[in-house]
PDB file of all heavy atoms in Angstrom:
ATOM      1  N   PRO U  14     -17.932  32.601 -12.337  1.00  0.00           N
ATOM      2  CA  PRO U  14     -17.036  31.358 -12.474  1.00  0.00           C
ATOM      3  C   PRO U  14     -15.923  31.401 -11.447  1.00  0.00           C
ATOM      4  O   PRO U  14     -15.315  32.427 -11.166  1.00  0.00           O
ATOM      5  CB  PRO U  14     -16.496  31.442 -13.910  1.00  0.00           C
ATOM      6  CG  PRO U  14     -16.759  32.852 -14.355  1.00  0.00           C
ATOM      7  CD  PRO U  14     -17.833  33.379 -13.528  1.00  0.00           C
ATOM      8  N   VAL U  15     -15.731  30.241 -10.854  1.00  0.00           N
ATOM      9  CA  VAL U  15     -14.655  30.094  -9.844  1.00  0.00           C
ATOM     10  C   VAL U  15     -13.341  29.774 -10.573  1.00  0.00           C
ATOM     11  O   VAL U  15     -13.317  28.833 -11.336  1.00  0.00           O
ATOM     12  CB  VAL U  15     -15.067  29.027  -8.830  1.00  0.00           C
ATOM     13  CG1 VAL U  15     -13.932  28.874  -7.739  1.00  0.00           C
ATOM     14  CG2 VAL U  15     -16.347  29.376  -8.141  1.00  0.00           C
ATOM     15  N   ALA U  16     -12.381  30.514 -10.229  1.00  0.00           N
ATOM     16  CA  ALA U  16     -11.017  30.152 -10.777  1.00  0.00           C
ATOM     17  C   ALA U  16     -10.498  28.855 -10.194  1.00  0.00           C
ATOM     18  O   ALA U  16     -10.579  28.643  -8.983  1.00  0.00           O
ATOM     19  CB  ALA U  16     -10.038  31.297 -10.524  1.00  0.00           C
ATOM     20  N   ALA U  17     -10.039  28.007 -11.070  1.00  0.00           N
ATOM     21  CA  ALA U  17      -9.547  26.721 -10.598  1.00  0.00           C
ATOM     22  C   ALA U  17      -8.119  26.890 -10.051  1.00  0.00           C
ATOM     23  O   ALA U  17      -7.188  26.754 -10.756  1.00  0.00           O
ATOM     24  CB  ALA U  17      -9.582  25.704 -11.719  1.00  0.00           C
ATOM     25  N   GLU U  18      -8.019  27.187  -8.784  1.00  0.00           N
ATOM     26  CA  GLU U  18      -6.733  27.410  -8.200  1.00  0.00           C
ATOM     27  C   GLU U  18      -6.287  26.046  -7.526  1.00  0.00           C
ATOM     28  O   GLU U  18      -7.120  25.335  -7.000  1.00  0.00           O
ATOM     29  CB  GLU U  18      -6.800  28.477  -7.072  1.00  0.00           C
ATOM     30  CG  GLU U  18      -7.055  29.856  -7.643  1.00  0.00           C
ATOM     31  CD  GLU U  18      -7.121  30.821  -6.562  1.00  0.00           C
ATOM     32  OE1 GLU U  18      -6.473  30.630  -5.461  1.00  0.00           O
ATOM     33  OE2 GLU U  18      -7.797  31.913  -6.698  1.00  0.00           O
ATOM     34  N   PRO U  19      -5.035  25.733  -7.650  1.00  0.00           N
ATOM     35  CA  PRO U  19      -4.572  24.461  -7.068  1.00  0.00           C
ATOM     36  C   PRO U  19      -4.725  24.593  -5.519  1.00  0.00           C
ATOM     37  O   PRO U  19      -4.451  25.637  -4.899  1.00  0.00           O
ATOM     38  CB  PRO U  19      -3.132  24.355  -7.455  1.00  0.00           C
ATOM     39  CG  PRO U  19      -2.706  25.765  -7.795  1.00  0.00           C
ATOM     40  CD  PRO U  19      -3.990  26.454  -8.292  1.00  0.00           C
ATOM     41  N   VAL U  20      -5.169  23.470  -4.930  1.00  0.00           N
ATOM     42  CA  VAL U  20      -5.289  23.427  -3.487  1.00  0.00           C
ATOM     43  C   VAL U  20      -3.922  23.183  -2.915  1.00  0.00           C
ATOM     44  O   VAL U  20      -3.237  22.213  -3.243  1.00  0.00           O
ATOM     45  CB  VAL U  20      -6.282  22.317  -3.092  1.00  0.00           C
ATOM     46  CG1 VAL U  20      -6.392  22.228  -1.618  1.00  0.00           C
ATOM     47  CG2 VAL U  20      -7.623  22.547  -3.728  1.00  0.00           C
ATOM     48  N   THR U  21      -3.494  24.081  -2.012  1.00  0.00           N
ATOM     49  CA  THR U  21      -2.197  23.865  -1.387  1.00  0.00           C
ATOM     50  C   THR U  21      -2.418  23.524   0.052  1.00  0.00           C
ATOM     51  O   THR U  21      -2.307  24.300   0.967  1.00  0.00           O
ATOM     52  CB  THR U  21      -1.374  25.152  -1.474  1.00  0.00           C
ATOM     53  OG1 THR U  21      -2.165  26.233  -0.860  1.00  0.00           O
ATOM     54  CG2 THR U  21      -1.038  25.516  -2.936  1.00  0.00           C
ATOM     55  N   ALA U  22      -2.707  22.244   0.250  1.00  0.00           N
ATOM     56  CA  ALA U  22      -2.928  21.735   1.601  1.00  0.00           C
ATOM     57  C   ALA U  22      -1.552  21.507   2.247  1.00  0.00           C
ATOM     58  O   ALA U  22      -0.610  21.158   1.581  1.00  0.00           O
ATOM     59  CB  ALA U  22      -3.769  20.495   1.535  1.00  0.00           C
ATOM     60  N   GLU U  23      -1.520  21.534   3.578  1.00  0.00           N
ATOM     61  CA  GLU U  23      -0.364  21.285   4.313  1.00  0.00           C
ATOM     62  C   GLU U  23      -0.091  19.716   4.155  1.00  0.00           C
ATOM     63  O   GLU U  23      -1.036  18.972   4.154  1.00  0.00           O
ATOM     64  CB  GLU U  23      -0.558  21.574   5.759  1.00  0.00           C
ATOM     65  CG  GLU U  23      -0.605  23.078   6.056  1.00  0.00           C
ATOM     66  CD  GLU U  23       0.753  23.702   5.771  1.00  0.00           C
ATOM     67  OE1 GLU U  23       1.815  23.106   6.195  1.00  0.00           O
ATOM     68  OE2 GLU U  23       0.789  24.802   5.181  1.00  0.00           O
ATOM     69  N   PRO U  24       1.171  19.340   4.046  1.00  0.00           N
ATOM     70  CA  PRO U  24       1.477  17.954   3.995  1.00  0.00           C
ATOM     71  C   PRO U  24       1.156  17.282   5.263  1.00  0.00           C
ATOM     72  O   PRO U  24       1.190  17.884   6.344  1.00  0.00           O
ATOM     73  CB  PRO U  24       2.927  17.883   3.666  1.00  0.00           C
ATOM     74  CG  PRO U  24       3.490  19.176   4.150  1.00  0.00           C
ATOM     75  CD  PRO U  24       2.375  20.184   3.991  1.00  0.00           C
ATOM     76  N   LEU U  25       0.876  16.012   5.265  1.00  0.00           N
ATOM     77  CA  LEU U  25       0.526  15.218   6.427  1.00  0.00           C
ATOM     78  C   LEU U  25       1.603  14.184   6.563  1.00  0.00           C
ATOM     79  O   LEU U  25       1.898  13.481   5.522  1.00  0.00           O
ATOM     80  CB  LEU U  25      -0.843  14.596   6.250  1.00  0.00           C
ATOM     81  CG  LEU U  25      -1.414  13.752   7.385  1.00  0.00           C
ATOM     82  CD1 LEU U  25      -1.559  14.648   8.644  1.00  0.00           C
ATOM     83  CD2 LEU U  25      -2.727  13.099   6.962  1.00  0.00           C
ATOM     84  N   TRP U  26       2.154  13.992   7.701  1.00  0.00           N
ATOM     85  CA  TRP U  26       3.181  13.032   7.923  1.00  0.00           C
ATOM     86  C   TRP U  26       2.514  11.702   8.241  1.00  0.00           C
ATOM     87  O   TRP U  26       1.760  11.568   9.193  1.00  0.00           O
ATOM     88  CB  TRP U  26       4.117  13.402   9.070  1.00  0.00           C
ATOM     89  CG  TRP U  26       5.109  14.372   8.589  1.00  0.00           C
ATOM     90  CD1 TRP U  26       5.037  15.721   8.708  1.00  0.00           C
ATOM     91  CD2 TRP U  26       6.389  14.147   7.926  1.00  0.00           C
ATOM     92  NE1 TRP U  26       6.121  16.326   8.122  1.00  0.00           N
ATOM     93  CE2 TRP U  26       6.978  15.346   7.656  1.00  0.00           C
ATOM     94  CE3 TRP U  26       7.052  12.913   7.537  1.00  0.00           C
ATOM     95  CZ2 TRP U  26       8.189  15.451   7.026  1.00  0.00           C
ATOM     96  CZ3 TRP U  26       8.243  13.050   6.914  1.00  0.00           C
ATOM     97  CH2 TRP U  26       8.832  14.234   6.609  1.00  0.00           C
ATOM     98  N   LEU U  27       2.699  10.688   7.361  1.00  0.00           N
ATOM     99  CA  LEU U  27       2.177   9.339   7.565  1.00  0.00           C
ATOM    100  C   LEU U  27       3.340   8.347   7.435  1.00  0.00           C
ATOM    101  O   LEU U  27       4.413   8.688   7.029  1.00  0.00           O
ATOM    102  CB  LEU U  27       1.122   8.994   6.469  1.00  0.00           C
ATOM    103  CG  LEU U  27      -0.156   9.821   6.474  1.00  0.00           C
ATOM    104  CD1 LEU U  27      -0.983   9.417   5.313  1.00  0.00           C
ATOM    105  CD2 LEU U  27      -0.927   9.659   7.760  1.00  0.00           C
ATOM    106  N   VAL U  28       3.025   7.123   7.827  1.00  0.00           N
ATOM    107  CA  VAL U  28       4.018   6.034   7.674  1.00  0.00           C
ATOM    108  C   VAL U  28       3.667   5.313   6.353  1.00  0.00           C
ATOM    109  O   VAL U  28       2.548   4.928   6.076  1.00  0.00           O
ATOM    110  CB  VAL U  28       3.947   5.054   8.846  1.00  0.00           C
ATOM    111  CG1 VAL U  28       4.831   3.870   8.588  1.00  0.00           C
ATOM    112  CG2 VAL U  28       4.264   5.743  10.095  1.00  0.00           C
ATOM    113  N   ALA U  29       4.643   5.226   5.439  1.00  0.00           N
ATOM    114  CA  ALA U  29       4.503   4.492   4.253  1.00  0.00           C
ATOM    115  C   ALA U  29       5.177   3.081   4.377  1.00  0.00           C
ATOM    116  O   ALA U  29       6.089   2.912   5.194  1.00  0.00           O
ATOM    117  CB  ALA U  29       5.144   5.210   3.070  1.00  0.00           C
ATOM    118  N   ALA U  30       4.601   2.105   3.638  1.00  0.00           N
ATOM    119  CA  ALA U  30       5.194   0.772   3.687  1.00  0.00           C
ATOM    120  C   ALA U  30       4.938   0.141   2.340  1.00  0.00           C
ATOM    121  O   ALA U  30       4.154   0.660   1.500  1.00  0.00           O
ATOM    122  CB  ALA U  30       4.526  -0.032   4.787  1.00  0.00           C
ATOM    123  N   ASN U  31       5.576  -1.002   2.128  1.00  0.00           N
ATOM    124  CA  ASN U  31       5.353  -1.792   0.917  1.00  0.00           C
ATOM    125  C   ASN U  31       4.714  -3.106   1.240  1.00  0.00           C
ATOM    126  O   ASN U  31       5.017  -3.702   2.334  1.00  0.00           O
ATOM    127  CB  ASN U  31       6.638  -1.991   0.162  1.00  0.00           C
ATOM    128  CG  ASN U  31       7.231  -0.689  -0.395  1.00  0.00           C
ATOM    129  OD1 ASN U  31       8.035  -0.071   0.319  1.00  0.00           O
ATOM    130  ND2 ASN U  31       6.794  -0.300  -1.537  1.00  0.00           N
ATOM    131  N   VAL U  32       3.822  -3.573   0.391  1.00  0.00           N
ATOM    132  CA  VAL U  32       3.225  -4.898   0.532  1.00  0.00           C
ATOM    133  C   VAL U  32       4.258  -5.918   0.154  1.00  0.00           C
ATOM    134  O   VAL U  32       5.016  -5.802  -0.764  1.00  0.00           O
ATOM    135  CB  VAL U  32       1.973  -4.965  -0.330  1.00  0.00           C
ATOM    136  CG1 VAL U  32       1.373  -6.376  -0.261  1.00  0.00           C
ATOM    137  CG2 VAL U  32       0.962  -3.909  -0.002  1.00  0.00           C
ATOM    138  N   VAL U  33       4.326  -7.033   0.941  1.00  0.00           N
ATOM    139  CA  VAL U  33       5.248  -8.133   0.714  1.00  0.00           C
ATOM    140  C   VAL U  33       4.983  -8.685  -0.710  1.00  0.00           C
ATOM    141  O   VAL U  33       3.829  -8.729  -1.135  1.00  0.00           O
ATOM    142  CB  VAL U  33       5.201  -9.191   1.700  1.00  0.00           C
ATOM    143  CG1 VAL U  33       5.650  -8.735   3.062  1.00  0.00           C
ATOM    144  CG2 VAL U  33       3.794  -9.853   1.824  1.00  0.00           C
ATOM    145  N   ARG U  34       6.046  -8.990  -1.431  1.00  0.00           N
ATOM    146  CA  ARG U  34       5.820  -9.515  -2.779  1.00  0.00           C
ATOM    147  C   ARG U  34       5.137 -10.882  -2.792  1.00  0.00           C
ATOM    148  O   ARG U  34       4.319 -11.136  -3.635  1.00  0.00           O
ATOM    149  CB  ARG U  34       7.190  -9.595  -3.457  1.00  0.00           C
ATOM    150  CG  ARG U  34       7.832  -8.285  -3.690  1.00  0.00           C
ATOM    151  CD  ARG U  34       8.487  -8.139  -5.026  1.00  0.00           C
ATOM    152  NE  ARG U  34       9.058  -6.825  -5.233  1.00  0.00           N
ATOM    153  CZ  ARG U  34       8.432  -5.922  -5.975  1.00  0.00           C
ATOM    154  NH1 ARG U  34       7.312  -6.178  -6.568  1.00  0.00           N
ATOM    155  NH2 ARG U  34       8.987  -4.712  -6.081  1.00  0.00           N
ATOM    156  N   TRP U  35       5.608 -11.750  -1.889  1.00  0.00           N
ATOM    157  CA  TRP U  35       4.947 -13.093  -1.795  1.00  0.00           C
ATOM    158  C   TRP U  35       4.645 -13.343  -0.267  1.00  0.00           C
ATOM    159  O   TRP U  35       5.402 -12.981   0.591  1.00  0.00           O
ATOM    160  CB  TRP U  35       5.912 -14.170  -2.246  1.00  0.00           C
ATOM    161  CG  TRP U  35       6.231 -14.052  -3.696  1.00  0.00           C
ATOM    162  CD1 TRP U  35       7.267 -13.408  -4.282  1.00  0.00           C
ATOM    163  CD2 TRP U  35       5.491 -14.647  -4.766  1.00  0.00           C
ATOM    164  NE1 TRP U  35       7.158 -13.528  -5.613  1.00  0.00           N
ATOM    165  CE2 TRP U  35       6.030 -14.282  -5.989  1.00  0.00           C
ATOM    166  CE3 TRP U  35       4.277 -15.365  -4.776  1.00  0.00           C
ATOM    167  CZ2 TRP U  35       5.590 -14.645  -7.215  1.00  0.00           C
ATOM    168  CZ3 TRP U  35       3.781 -15.807  -6.073  1.00  0.00           C
ATOM    169  CH2 TRP U  35       4.426 -15.426  -7.224  1.00  0.00           C
ATOM    170  N   ARG U  36       3.499 -13.911  -0.079  1.00  0.00           N
ATOM    171  CA  ARG U  36       3.115 -14.301   1.301  1.00  0.00           C
ATOM    172  C   ARG U  36       2.706 -15.746   1.402  1.00  0.00           C
ATOM    173  O   ARG U  36       2.281 -16.264   0.412  1.00  0.00           O
ATOM    174  CB  ARG U  36       1.973 -13.419   1.869  1.00  0.00           C
ATOM    175  CG  ARG U  36       0.694 -13.580   1.117  1.00  0.00           C
ATOM    176  CD  ARG U  36      -0.376 -12.670   1.548  1.00  0.00           C
ATOM    177  NE  ARG U  36      -1.517 -12.752   0.594  1.00  0.00           N
ATOM    178  CZ  ARG U  36      -2.587 -13.502   0.827  1.00  0.00           C
ATOM    179  NH1 ARG U  36      -2.671 -14.280   1.845  1.00  0.00           N
ATOM    180  NH2 ARG U  36      -3.550 -13.507  -0.087  1.00  0.00           N
ATOM    181  N   ARG U  37       3.053 -16.353   2.508  1.00  0.00           N
ATOM    182  CA  ARG U  37       2.707 -17.779   2.706  1.00  0.00           C
ATOM    183  C   ARG U  37       1.166 -17.852   2.937  1.00  0.00           C
ATOM    184  O   ARG U  37       0.529 -16.957   3.468  1.00  0.00           O
ATOM    185  CB  ARG U  37       3.401 -18.301   3.924  1.00  0.00           C
ATOM    186  CG  ARG U  37       4.943 -18.353   3.626  1.00  0.00           C
ATOM    187  CD  ARG U  37       5.711 -18.753   4.871  1.00  0.00           C
ATOM    188  NE  ARG U  37       5.397 -20.112   5.217  1.00  0.00           N
ATOM    189  CZ  ARG U  37       5.897 -20.675   6.274  1.00  0.00           C
ATOM    190  NH1 ARG U  37       6.747 -19.996   7.100  1.00  0.00           N
ATOM    191  NH2 ARG U  37       5.586 -21.908   6.608  1.00  0.00           N
ATOM    192  N   TYR U  38       0.578 -18.984   2.518  1.00  0.00           N
ATOM    193  CA  TYR U  38      -0.853 -19.113   2.477  1.00  0.00           C
ATOM    194  C   TYR U  38      -1.234 -20.607   2.591  1.00  0.00           C
ATOM    195  O   TYR U  38      -0.361 -21.465   2.238  1.00  0.00           O
ATOM    196  CB  TYR U  38      -1.356 -18.540   1.171  1.00  0.00           C
ATOM    197  CG  TYR U  38      -2.861 -18.606   1.017  1.00  0.00           C
ATOM    198  CD1 TYR U  38      -3.728 -17.646   1.645  1.00  0.00           C
ATOM    199  CD2 TYR U  38      -3.486 -19.629   0.317  1.00  0.00           C
ATOM    200  CE1 TYR U  38      -5.075 -17.676   1.479  1.00  0.00           C
ATOM    201  CE2 TYR U  38      -4.832 -19.651   0.170  1.00  0.00           C
ATOM    202  CZ  TYR U  38      -5.609 -18.713   0.742  1.00  0.00           C
ATOM    203  OH  TYR U  38      -7.010 -18.782   0.660  1.00  0.00           O
ATOM    204  N   GLY U  39      -2.379 -20.939   3.075  1.00  0.00           N
ATOM    205  CA  GLY U  39      -2.881 -22.275   2.966  1.00  0.00           C
ATOM    206  C   GLY U  39      -2.415 -23.152   4.200  1.00  0.00           C
ATOM    207  O   GLY U  39      -1.943 -22.631   5.196  1.00  0.00           O
ATOM    208  N   ASP U  40      -2.642 -24.464   4.058  1.00  0.00           N
ATOM    209  CA  ASP U  40      -2.352 -25.382   5.173  1.00  0.00           C
ATOM    210  C   ASP U  40      -0.829 -25.345   5.441  1.00  0.00           C
ATOM    211  O   ASP U  40       0.005 -25.726   4.572  1.00  0.00           O
ATOM    212  CB  ASP U  40      -2.763 -26.764   4.824  1.00  0.00           C
ATOM    213  CG  ASP U  40      -4.267 -26.973   4.720  1.00  0.00           C
ATOM    214  OD1 ASP U  40      -4.898 -26.186   5.407  1.00  0.00           O
ATOM    215  OD2 ASP U  40      -4.760 -27.808   3.939  1.00  0.00           O
ATOM    216  N   GLY U  41      -0.498 -24.921   6.669  1.00  0.00           N
ATOM    217  CA  GLY U  41       0.906 -24.885   7.109  1.00  0.00           C
ATOM    218  C   GLY U  41       1.770 -23.907   6.346  1.00  0.00           C
ATOM    219  O   GLY U  41       2.995 -24.024   6.380  1.00  0.00           O
ATOM    220  N   GLY U  42       1.110 -23.001   5.577  1.00  0.00           N
ATOM    221  CA  GLY U  42       1.909 -21.980   4.861  1.00  0.00           C
ATOM    222  C   GLY U  42       2.689 -22.545   3.689  1.00  0.00           C
ATOM    223  O   GLY U  42       3.751 -22.010   3.302  1.00  0.00           O
ATOM    224  N   GLN U  43       2.210 -23.690   3.113  1.00  0.00           N
ATOM    225  CA  GLN U  43       2.962 -24.269   2.047  1.00  0.00           C
ATOM    226  C   GLN U  43       2.680 -23.701   0.684  1.00  0.00           C
ATOM    227  O   GLN U  43       3.344 -24.069  -0.294  1.00  0.00           O
ATOM    228  CB  GLN U  43       2.664 -25.788   2.051  1.00  0.00           C
ATOM    229  CG  GLN U  43       3.188 -26.510   3.266  1.00  0.00           C
ATOM    230  CD  GLN U  43       4.708 -26.289   3.503  1.00  0.00           C
ATOM    231  OE1 GLN U  43       5.484 -26.599   2.616  1.00  0.00           O
ATOM    232  NE2 GLN U  43       5.098 -25.755   4.622  1.00  0.00           N
ATOM    233  N   GLU U  44       1.772 -22.820   0.533  1.00  0.00           N
ATOM    234  CA  GLU U  44       1.440 -22.145  -0.733  1.00  0.00           C
ATOM    235  C   GLU U  44       1.933 -20.728  -0.660  1.00  0.00           C
ATOM    236  O   GLU U  44       2.067 -20.154   0.425  1.00  0.00           O
ATOM    237  CB  GLU U  44      -0.050 -22.133  -1.010  1.00  0.00           C
ATOM    238  CG  GLU U  44      -0.710 -23.455  -1.177  1.00  0.00           C
ATOM    239  CD  GLU U  44      -2.175 -23.296  -1.487  1.00  0.00           C
ATOM    240  OE1 GLU U  44      -2.525 -22.437  -2.277  1.00  0.00           O
ATOM    241  OE2 GLU U  44      -2.957 -24.028  -0.868  1.00  0.00           O
ATOM    242  N   LEU U  45       2.244 -20.158  -1.786  1.00  0.00           N
ATOM    243  CA  LEU U  45       2.662 -18.737  -1.856  1.00  0.00           C
ATOM    244  C   LEU U  45       1.716 -18.000  -2.761  1.00  0.00           C
ATOM    245  O   LEU U  45       1.262 -18.502  -3.776  1.00  0.00           O
ATOM    246  CB  LEU U  45       4.063 -18.600  -2.390  1.00  0.00           C
ATOM    247  CG  LEU U  45       5.184 -19.212  -1.506  1.00  0.00           C
ATOM    248  CD1 LEU U  45       6.491 -19.257  -2.287  1.00  0.00           C
ATOM    249  CD2 LEU U  45       5.345 -18.311  -0.289  1.00  0.00           C
ATOM    250  N   ARG U  46       1.333 -16.785  -2.341  1.00  0.00           N
ATOM    251  CA  ARG U  46       0.452 -15.932  -3.093  1.00  0.00           C
ATOM    252  C   ARG U  46       1.160 -14.557  -3.263  1.00  0.00           C
ATOM    253  O   ARG U  46       1.793 -14.083  -2.332  1.00  0.00           O
ATOM    254  CB  ARG U  46      -0.878 -15.676  -2.402  1.00  0.00           C
ATOM    255  CG  ARG U  46      -1.653 -16.997  -2.231  1.00  0.00           C
ATOM    256  CD  ARG U  46      -2.938 -16.927  -3.090  1.00  0.00           C
ATOM    257  NE  ARG U  46      -3.574 -18.172  -3.140  1.00  0.00           N
ATOM    258  CZ  ARG U  46      -4.832 -18.364  -2.735  1.00  0.00           C
ATOM    259  NH1 ARG U  46      -5.525 -17.321  -2.227  1.00  0.00           N
ATOM    260  NH2 ARG U  46      -5.414 -19.490  -2.828  1.00  0.00           N
ATOM    261  N   PRO U  47       1.016 -13.984  -4.448  1.00  0.00           N
ATOM    262  CA  PRO U  47       1.622 -12.694  -4.647  1.00  0.00           C
ATOM    263  C   PRO U  47       0.815 -11.569  -3.976  1.00  0.00           C
ATOM    264  O   PRO U  47      -0.396 -11.484  -4.180  1.00  0.00           O
ATOM    265  CB  PRO U  47       1.611 -12.521  -6.182  1.00  0.00           C
ATOM    266  CG  PRO U  47       0.508 -13.337  -6.633  1.00  0.00           C
ATOM    267  CD  PRO U  47       0.371 -14.454  -5.644  1.00  0.00           C
ATOM    268  N   GLY U  48       1.436 -10.748  -3.181  1.00  0.00           N
ATOM    269  CA  GLY U  48       0.722  -9.640  -2.553  1.00  0.00           C
ATOM    270  C   GLY U  48      -0.341 -10.075  -1.646  1.00  0.00           C
ATOM    271  O   GLY U  48      -0.217 -11.077  -0.962  1.00  0.00           O
TER     272      GLY U  48
END
């Protein structure tokens, strides 16, 4: 049996961002959609 040891991988530096709460959509951007 293999002991379940936690994998300790090196951290990776990435860029995090957030999705816009509302985005314009449709003809001329007159509608709003969430995410």
